[in-house]
C-alpha cells in the first residue's frame, strides 16, 4: 500500500465516521469552525464550513494533499516541466498573466518575453480599433466583432464578456460556437459586413465546427467586400498561424502549445474581449488571476483556497460517494460559469487511467451542473433539497453585481440573500414534527397535517461551499477563474491523473467524419451498427 492509498483510506474511514454527525452539530461543538474553514484569497472569501467534514475529516483531507506532494507538483507546473505527460508539454497558463518582467520557462525555453510581446500587440490592436486607427476594407471603423470558436476557444471569453460588458457597449461582441448554421445566422443578423470584424479562434485551426462557421462568415463578408478588402476583416487566433494565414486571415495572433484550450482565456484567445472591453479592463482580469497564482504559490495548505476547495470535492467524492456537484452563481454576469466549469473540470478530470496508464483507484471528476441563482432554485433545487441523492452545492455570491453601482447593496441584497438562505436551508432542513406543527398552526386538521407533513419535511445536513466576491470587478472574475483552474489541478494530482489532455473527445470526432461520409455517399457503410444505420436512413429522407 502506498502512502497515497493509505491517506485515501484514512480519509474514507474518517468520512464514514463523520456520517454520524450533522453539519449543524459540527458548528455547535466547534466554535472556531467558521474562522478555520473561511479563507481569504486574492480578494475572494471561501467558506467550506458548511461541508460535511468534521475537523478530523478536514485534517485527513489535508494529510492526503500533503502526501500527494501538491506543493511539489504545483512547483513543477509553475517551473514549466512536462506535467502534461501524455503530450510531453508544459502547462503554463500562469505565465500568461504574470508581470512583464517575469521569467517563466516551458521545458527550459524562456517564454515570458514572447508573452509580453503578444500582450503588447493585442493591447495596441485593441487601442487601434477603439480609436478608429484600424479600420475595415472600406475604411470604416469597426463597430461589431463576431468571435468564432468552440470549447476553450469560446467559453472563457464568452464568460468574461457576459461578466464585464457595459450595458451599452460601443463595440458589439457576438459569439458563435455551434455548427448549427442558425447560431451563425443569429450572430450576423443586423450586422454590417463593412463594420464587422470576424475573429476565428482555434488552437489547432482544424476544429470542424469552427472552420465550418468561419466559412459561413467569410461567405457573408464576400457578399459585400472584395477579397482584397475582406482580409482586413478576418483575424485568426491560433497556435497554428500558418493554417490561419493559408485559410485567409489577414492578421493572426498566436499562443503556444503549452496553453491548454480550457486554460486559454488569458491568452490571445480573448482578443475579441480585450478589444471590445478595452485593454485596461482585460489587464485587470489578468491582475486578478495573478493574485490568485501568488496565493496558490504562497499560502500553506490549510489556508490555500484552491487546495481547500479541491479537498472539499475530494472528501465528497471519495469519502461520501457524492458524484455530482451543482454550481450556482448568484450573478447574471456569471450565468455561463457552470458551462465553463463543465469543460474545465470534466474535460480535465473525467479520466479512467492514472498518469502511468493503469486504471484509477478513485472515482475521479464528478458531474458538474448548474444554473445561475435564483433561476436554479425554481427548477432543480427541489432535488437538491429533498431528493434521496445528496448533491453538494457551490454558491458563488457577489456583493455588488455591477462595479458602477456602488450603492447597489439594496438592489443586490435580494439576490445574495437568496444564496445565503439556500445554503442555510440545506444544512438546517426541517423535521417532520416541525412541518406538522407549521401545518397545524396554519389551520390544517390533525389528519391533514399527518398526510402532508412527510412531503414538507427536509432532511437537511446537505453540504455546500460559498465563494464570496465583493463585486463583479475584472480582478475578482480573474481571481475566481484562476481559483477554479488551480482547484482542478489539485484534484488531478490527488487522483493521480493527467488533467491536461482530452483524448476522450477524439473518438466522437473521428466517427462524426465517418458518419458524414456515409451521408454524402447516400447510405450507411457496411458493418455500421443497426441502430445508427436506421437513424441515419430516417434523417437522410
Ligand atoms: O474537442 C475538444 C477540444 O479539443 C477542446 O479541448 C478545445 O477547447 C476545443 O476542442 C476547441 O479546440 P480548438 O481551439 O483547437 O478549435
Amino acid at each position: 500500500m502506498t502512502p497515497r492509498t493509505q491517506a485515501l483510506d484514512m480519509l474514507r474511514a474518517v468520512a464514514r465516521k463523520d456520517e454520524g454527525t450533522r453539519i449543524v452539530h459540527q458548528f455547535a461543538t466547534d466554535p472556531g469552525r467558521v474562522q478555520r474553514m473561511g479563507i481569504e484569497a486574492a480578494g475572494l472569501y471561501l467558506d467550506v464550513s458548511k461541508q460535511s467534514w468534521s475537523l478530523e475529516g478536514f485534517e485527513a483531507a489535508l494529510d492526503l494533499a500533503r502526501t500527494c506532494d501538491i506543493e511539489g507538483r504545483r512547483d513543477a507546473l509553475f517551473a514549466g516541466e512536462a506535467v502534461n505527460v501524455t503530450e510531453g508539454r508544459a502547462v503554463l497558463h500562469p505565465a500568461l498573466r504574470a508581470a512583464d518582467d517575469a521569467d517563466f520557462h516551458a521545458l527550459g525555453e524562456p517564454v515570458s518575453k514572447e508573452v509580453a510581446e503578444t500582450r503588447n500587440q493585442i493591447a495596441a490592436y485593441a487601442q487601434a480599433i477603439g480609436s478608429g486607427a484600424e479600420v475595415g476594407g472600406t475604411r470604416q471603423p469597426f463597430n461589431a466583432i463576431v468571435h468564432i470558436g468552440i470549447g476553450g476557444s469560446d467559453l472563457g471569453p464568452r464568460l468574461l464578456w457576459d461578466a464585464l460588458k457595459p450595458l451599452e457597449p460601443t463595440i458589439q461582441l457576438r459569439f458563435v460556437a455551434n455548427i448549427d448554421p442558425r447560431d451563425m445566422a443569429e450572430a450576423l443578423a443586423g450586422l454590417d459586413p463593412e463594420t464587422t470584424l470576424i475573429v476565428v479562434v482555434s488552437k489547432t485551426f482544424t476544429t470542424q465546427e469552427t472552420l465550418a462557421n468561419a466559412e459561413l462568415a467569410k461567405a457573408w463578408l464576400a457578399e459585400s467586400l472584395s477579397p482584397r478588402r475582406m482580409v482586413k476583416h478576418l483575424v485568426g487566433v491560433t497556435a497554428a498561424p500558418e493554417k490561419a494565414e493559408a485559410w485567409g486571415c489577414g492578421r493572426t495572433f498566436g499562443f503556444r502549445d503549452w496553453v491548454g484550450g480550457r486554460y486559454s482565456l488569458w491568452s490571445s484567445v480573448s482578443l475579441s474581449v480585450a478589444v471590445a472591453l478595452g485593454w485596461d479592463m482585460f489587464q485587470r482580469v489578468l491582475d486578478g488571476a495573478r493574485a490568485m497564482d501568488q496565493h496558490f504559490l504562497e499560502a500553506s495548505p490549510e489556508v490555500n483556497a484552491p487546495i481547500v476547495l479541491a479537498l472539499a470535492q475530494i472528501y465528497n467524492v471519495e469519502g461520501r460517494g457524492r458524484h455530482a456537484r451543482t454550481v450556482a452563481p448568484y450573478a447574471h454576469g456569471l450565468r455561463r460559469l457552470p458551462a465553463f466549469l463543465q469543460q474545465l473540470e470534466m474535460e480535465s478530470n473525467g479520466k479512467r487511467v492514472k498518469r502511468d496508464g493503469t486504471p484509477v483507484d478513485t472515482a475521479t471528476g464528478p458531474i458538474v451542473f448548474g444554473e445561475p441563482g435564483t433561476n436554479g432554485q425554481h427548477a432543480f433545487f427541489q432535488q437538491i433539497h429533498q431528493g434521496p441523492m445528496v448533491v453538494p452545492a457551490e454558491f458563488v455570491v457577489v456583493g455588488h453585481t455591477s462595479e458602477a453601482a456602488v450603492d447597489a447593496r439594496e438592489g443586490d441584497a435580494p439576490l445574495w440573500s437568496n444564496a445565503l438562505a439556500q445554503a442555510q436551508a440545506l444544512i438546517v432542513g426541517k423535521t417532520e414534527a416541525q412541518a406538522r406543527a407549521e401545518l397545524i398552526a396554519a389551520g390544517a386538521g390533525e389528519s391533514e397535517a399527518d398526510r402532508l407533513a412527510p412531503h414538507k419535511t427536509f432532511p437537511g445536513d446537505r453540504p455546500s461551499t460559498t465563494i464570496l466576491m465583493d463585486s463583479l470587478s475584472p480582478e475578482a472574475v480573474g481571481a475566481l477563474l484562476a481559483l477554479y483552474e488551480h482547484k482542478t489541478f489539485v484534484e488531478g494530482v490527488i487522483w493521480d491523473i493527467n488533467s491536461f489532455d482530452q483524448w476522450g473527445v477524439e473518438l466522437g470526432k473521428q466517427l462524426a467524419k465517418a458518419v458524414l461520409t456515409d451521408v454524402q455517399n447516400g447510405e450507411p457503410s457496411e458493418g455500421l451498427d443497426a441502430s445508427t444505420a436506421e437513424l441515419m436512413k430516417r434523417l437522410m429522407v
Side-chain angles (χ1 to χ4, degrees), residues 325 327 337-346 368 394 484:
R325 175 172 119 260
V327 179
L337 182 65
F340 174 83
L341 293 180
Q342 277 170 340
Q343 191 201 16
L344 177 64
E345 299 191 29
M346 294 170 76
V368 182
E394 197 155 278
Y484 278 119

Side-chain angles (χ1 to χ4, degrees), residues 150-153 201-207 210 261-262 343 347 502 505-506 509:
I150 197 163
S153 295
V201 186
S202 176
K203 178 174 173 181
T204 54
F205 225 82
T206 59
T207 303
T210 300
R262 52 196 175 274
Q343 191 201 16
E347 198 171 77
Q502 59 284 321
V505 298
E506 293 304 322
K509 285 187 197 171

Side-chain angles (χ1 to χ4, degrees), residues 102-446:
D103 189 21
F104 278 87
H105 291 69
L107 308 182
E109 183 203 343
V111 299
S112 294
K113 192 161 164 273
E114 183 183 310
V115 167
E117 278 165 11
T118 307
R119 266 198 311 237
N120 289 338
Q121 284 163 11
I122 300 171
Y125 189 65
Q127 161 72 20
I129 289 196
S131 68
E134 178 82 30
V135 290
T138 55
R139 309 224 137 264
Q140 296 199 55
F142 292 108
N143 61 16
I145 302 175
V146 176
H147 174 121
I148 302 171
I150 197 163
S153 295
D154 166 69
L155 292 161
R158 196 189 283 256
L159 191 161
L160 286 183
W161 179 242
D162 285 347
L164 303 174
K165 70 179 171 193
L167 270 181
E168 292 178 13
T170 46
I171 297 186
Q172 290 191 61
L173 175 52
R174 299 183 184 177
F175 292 85
V176 181
N178 201 328
I179 197 166
D180 181 343
R182 175 81 192 186
D183 198 4
M184 178 58 82
E186 285 182 4
L188 295 180
L191 298 186
D192 177 355
E194 294 190 37
T195 57
T196 300
L197 185 67
I198 304 290
V199 179
V200 184
V201 186
S202 176
K203 178 174 173 181
T204 54
F205 225 82
T206 59
T207 303
Q208 186 199 27
E209 294 88 337
T210 300
L211 294 185
N213 280 324
E215 287 299 337
L216 290 179
K218 202 196 242 181
W220 177 76
L221 289 176
E223 286 170 19
S224 312
L225 297 166
S226 67
R228 193 176 52 82
R229 290 187 161 154
M230 199 164 60
V231 288
K232 293 277 280 177
H233 296 250
L234 289 171
V235 171
V237 175
T238 181
E242 66 299 337
K243 289 200 178 98
E245 280 152 24
W247 177 80
C249 289
R251 173 116 198 225
T252 58
F253 292 84
F255 61 103
R256 294 294 205 102
D257 69 357
W258 42 260
V259 182
R262 52 196 175 274
Y263 299 86
S264 66
L265 76 138
W266 322 101
S267 72
S268 44
V269 162
S270 289
L271 174 85
S272 53
V273 180
V275 171
L277 284 180
W279 175 261
D280 291 350
M281 279 278 258
F282 185 67
Q283 178 62 57
R284 291 174 59 195
V285 174
L286 300 183
D287 293 344
R290 187 195 314 159
M292 186 56 75
D293 291 341
Q294 244 8 76
H295 168 85
F296 182 44
L297 281 168
E298 289 165 8
S300 58
E302 69 281 8
V303 288
N304 192 305
I307 294 179
V308 170
L309 188 59
L311 292 179
Q313 178 85 83
I314 297 279
Y315 175 92
N316 278 313
V317 171
E318 300 302 328
R320 304 297 283 262
R322 295 165 177 163
H323 299 295
R325 175 172 119 260
T326 188
V327 179
Y330 277 71
H332 183 63
L334 295 178
R335 61 193 172 280
R336 298 285 291 169
L337 182 65
F340 174 83
L341 293 180
Q342 277 170 340
Q343 191 201 16
L344 177 64
E345 299 191 29
M346 294 170 76
E347 198 171 77
S348 295
N349 288 343
K351 304 286 165 68
R352 57 176 287 280
V353 292
K354 293 195 275 188
R355 287 184 305 152
D356 64 4
T358 58
V360 291
D361 49 6
T362 53
T364 77
I367 305 296
V368 182
F369 69 100
E371 273 292 309
T374 56
N375 309 16
Q377 292 171 206
H378 297 275
F380 56 83
F381 265 61
Q382 164 64 37
Q383 153 92 40
I384 312 289
H385 284 288
Q386 285 190 316
M389 186 172 81
V390 174
V391 178
E394 197 155 278
F395 297 96
V396 179
V397 184
V398 182
H400 300 278
T401 49
S402 157
E403 251 202 320
V406 280
D407 296 325
R409 189 156 292 271
E410 274 300 304
D412 285 328
L415 180 60
W416 53 251
S417 56
N418 263 287
L420 302 194
Q422 288 295 320
Q424 193 193 3
L426 284 170
I427 50 168
V428 173
K430 190 183 282 181
T431 63
E432 197 166 326
Q434 284 171 321
R436 195 174 180 285
E438 281 180 11
L439 283 160
I440 298 281
E446 295 281 332

